[in-house]
Amino acid sequence: MRTQVGIIGAGPAGLLLAHLLHIDGIDSVVLEARSREYVENRIRAGVLEHGTAETLVATGVGERMRAIGLPHHGVNLRFRGRTHRIDFLGLTGKFVTVYSQHLVVQDLIAARLAAGGQIHFDVEDVSVHDFGGEAPSIRFRAESRAETLACDFIAGCDGFHGTCRPSIPAGVLMIHERVYPFGWLGILAEAPPASEELIYANHERGFALLSMRSPTVSRHLLQCAPDENPEAWPDERIWSELETRLGTDEPSWKLIKGPIVQKGVTPMRSFVAEPMQFGRLFLAGDAAHIVPPTGAKGLNLAVADVRVLARALERHYRAGASELLARYSETCLGRVWKVQRFSWWMTSMLHRFEAHTGFERRIQLAELDYVAGSRAAAMALAENYVGLPLELP
Ligand code: APR
Ligand code: PHB
């Protein structure tokens, strides 16, 4: 088998890269370890930055997102029982779109297959070879047959637990990591969200987030221990804790309960691998970095990476110029670190830290008061949340 760009991973990064390359007439093959059914139904966050939504629409895969996605013109911060709205539209002229990640994946897979794109699901034993030279290749097993994909470049879009990052020779990568002393207990409930916009709550007992997937499906998150057992949280306990942490001095406001159809705990970390490339192997998305979900940036950062990579590959094939490829990591890391900062800041401002002294707790509440009371501070949150402009060299 041969292609121009071998892509490992059919998550948002790998699929959007394949789609963008196709638009530029560049051939690719996507290799995915899981089944199509699995990746199309893997529930993840679903807040699309303004630029992400624009990219989907501009490249012809945004139709359903525009039809059923929920435009959100702001978010709410709730602390000390008071609610403070951050007006994205008024402050930045932009908004975000609530549209589940698994729907983005479905839309991209449908577009690739309709265009005759090659996506091999359920592949096994994927390994990358000779990417330090001019003729990299990917070996894998498909339907128990050993295959080799010869390519010009490899895109490692295989997520945090993939094979590409670990395949980079020892001593090359510098890893930066912060593991947080808490995780999130997340639920999906068949209940209309009790707010049209997201509510991020800082409460003495811990963080809570009211989010949603649709007008009839709520998504709620509760700060918990990083190794919390979801089974220790029967539905009644979850609803009771959400009501406490999302409590407000608005007497008319009430959380809406309903059957909980999914429950899970995710730990929380910040992680960056530098550089994001080695020879003809390029890391993109979660393969290169992880952000705490408080800023809703994981998907959006993956999109930014592959927009840079697609542009660099287009320049290589169309103009025979490889300077953008040589600067891929440097270009991406500029944004990665600004998004890491924002995600760390939102996480630090909104969660309860057992190790906090009285001083640190009051500094945290002062931070919230400042954001709630200052147009400049609210603007800083808003412009990061809707998405910083993507600087394509
Ligand atoms: N071979 C083939 N496929 C692999 C391998 C492998 N060795 N290892 C992992 N994969 C696949 C996974 O099954 C997954 O479908 O790579 C894909 C990686 O997708 P994501 O983990 O979704 O990562 P990415 O595309 O970078 O998107 C980042 O997804 O997980 C969320 O929170 C994350 O929102 C962020 C977004
Ligand atoms: C979600 O809906 O899952 C979600 C929304 C916003 C976040 C994190 C998660 O910051």
Side-chain angles (χ1 to χ4, degrees), residues 7-15 31-35 38-39 42 44-45 101 105 120 123-127 156-164 284-291 293 297-303 305:
I7 299 172
I8 301 176
L15 291 167
L31 302 175
E32 166 58 49
R34 307 302 292 256
S35 69
Y38 181 88
V39 299
R42 183 169 45 193
R44 288 283 191 282
Q101 177 174 307
V105 166
H120 297 269
V123 301
E124 299 172 308
D125 304 332
V126 173
S127 59
C157 301
D158 48 348
F160 186 67
H161 300 289
T163 189
C164 288
D286 276 17
H289 40 67
I290 295 289
V291 284
K297 290 301 177 189
L299 167 59
N300 296 292
L301 208 43
V303 166
D305 289 348

Side-chain angles (χ1 to χ4, degrees), residues 77-80 84 86 202 341-342 344-351 353 356 358-381 384:
L77 302 179
R78 186 171 285 177
F79 58 101
R80 292 202 197 95
H84 309 269
I86 306 297
N202 175 311
R341 183 210 65 83
F342 174 68
W344 162 84
W345 175 69
M346 286 283 280
T347 302
S348 304
M349 181 170 67
L350 289 161
H351 289 75
F353 290 74
H356 265 181
F359 175 83
E360 286 159 322
R361 175 60 178 156
R362 282 161 181 75
I363 289 289
Q364 186 185 59
L365 288 171
E367 182 90 40
L368 284 161
D369 278 331
Y370 178 51
V371 172
S374 156
R375 181 181 171 82
M379 169 69 93
L381 189 156
N384 280 279

Side-chain angles (χ1 to χ4, degrees), residues 69-83:
L70 304 172
H72 278 213
H73 295 173
V75 289
N76 300 283
L77 302 179
R78 186 171 285 177
F79 58 101
R80 292 202 197 95
R82 302 282 307 279
T83 305

Side-chain angles (χ1 to χ4, degrees), residues 16 19-20 23 48-69 95 97 99 104 107-108 303 307:
L16 182 59
H19 177 61
L20 296 177
I23 291 169
L48 308 187
E49 288 178 351
H50 196 266
T52 296
E54 279 189 332
T55 298
L56 298 180
V57 171
T59 60
V61 287
E63 188 179 342
R64 184 168 60 159
M65 184 268 300
R66 287 179 81 169
I68 66 171
F95 57 91
T97 303
Y99 185 68
V104 174
D107 297 340
L108 287 167
V303 166
R307 288 180 63 193

Side-chain angles (χ1 to χ4, degrees), residues 43-47 75 98 100 184 187-188 198 200 207 209-213 218-221 292-297 346 385:
I43 300 297
R44 288 283 191 282
V47 177
V75 289
V98 172
S100 294
W184 277 4
I187 65 165
L188 280 181
L198 275 59
Y200 289 82
F207 170 81
L209 170 58
L210 178 152
S211 183
M212 71 274 306
R213 289 289 176 271
S218 292
R219 168 72 170 169
H220 298 322
L221 292 308
T294 326
K297 290 301 177 189
M346 286 283 280
Y385 201 103

